[in-house]
Amino acid sequence: MSDARLAQAARGFVGALAEENAGFWRDRDVRLDPNAPPALRLEQIRYRMRQGVYNELRSVELIAAWIPHVPEREIRELLPGQLDDEHRHYRLLRARLVALGEDPDGYRPLSEWEALFDWLCACRTRPTLEKLAMFQFAGETQSCEGFETLIALARDVDPESAELYRAEILPDEYRHAAIGRKALTLLADTPALQARARAACREMNDRIFAAYRAHRARADRGA
């Protein structure tokens, strides 16, 4: 098969995998209840923000751990920019919570979130295809959808935080997801490699979903 045909097939695979991921997540992001009364919805959003500070900081850690283990130059050169973005998001969310009178450093993450990021950091020696299928492709694409939902549900109860996510965080998340699409388009060019990418996405989605369910249960308890 010619290089052009291989590239076309890889692009088709990436599009199909994106649809599969979207199907997996349909009605599964349980962190926010769109039907909750405004006061409860606001508390759910605040909990998301507290957890977000932790997630952004751990994202810095895992990308820094991964960079030395990504030999493909055209992909590796994109990761320091993502690392900078994640660090900026951490500082922005932390500052917003402080402005709201909260102590972001007093939050203790769920063991499920800690385990997820510990696992991702330990994945640094896995092939680039699998790593980026998990985090940038599956994880960051789901982050985009999750932030879009948060923005829509926060506009009436916390418009300043909604605008922070819309203007400062969501555009970066789109770029991070694009890194995953680029990696899969470049690397998933055989049926065997595509199967590995698909399995890695499913592995990541299952782990994220478990963390989401634990997240909602703790938020409902007001912990």
Side-chain angles (χ1 to χ4, degrees), residues 42-154:
L42 179 60
E43 182 50 42
Q44 291 175 353
I45 290 165
R46 289 283 187 274
Y47 186 83
R48 276 284 303 277
M49 294 172 69
R50 296 180 206 117
Q51 181 64 50
V53 171
Y54 175 82
N55 289 0
E56 299 291 355
L57 185 60
R58 292 301 306 268
S59 295
V60 172
E61 175 189 0
L62 80 89
I63 294 169
W66 283 9
I67 288 173
H69 300 278
V70 176
E72 299 85 356
R73 182 182 301 174
E74 64 270 42
I75 298 170
R76 185 179 66 240
E77 67 185 7
L78 300 174
L79 298 181
Q82 182 179 2
L83 187 153
D84 289 344
D85 289 342
E86 307 290 9
H87 188 216
R88 188 172 68 87
H89 298 171
Y90 162 76
R91 290 185 282 108
L92 286 169
L93 288 176
R94 189 180 182 282
R96 176 61 182 153
L97 284 171
V98 169
L100 290 167
E102 299 216 13
D103 175 15
D105 301 323
Y107 173 78
R108 293 295 174 264
L110 286 164
S111 60
E112 288 84 355
W113 281 113
E114 289 186 298
L116 175 65
F117 280 101
D118 288 347
W119 169 72
L120 284 167
C121 289
C123 287
R124 61 188 178 275
T125 58
R126 288 176 64 167
T128 300
L129 171 68
E130 296 179 14
K131 290 198 293 280
L132 272 75
M134 291 185 298
F135 189 65
Q136 281 80 1
F137 185 80
E140 294 288 50
T141 299
Q142 171 55 22
S143 290
C144 291
E145 295 172 1
F147 287 141
E148 289 167 359
T149 299
L150 185 153
I151 292 164
L153 295 179

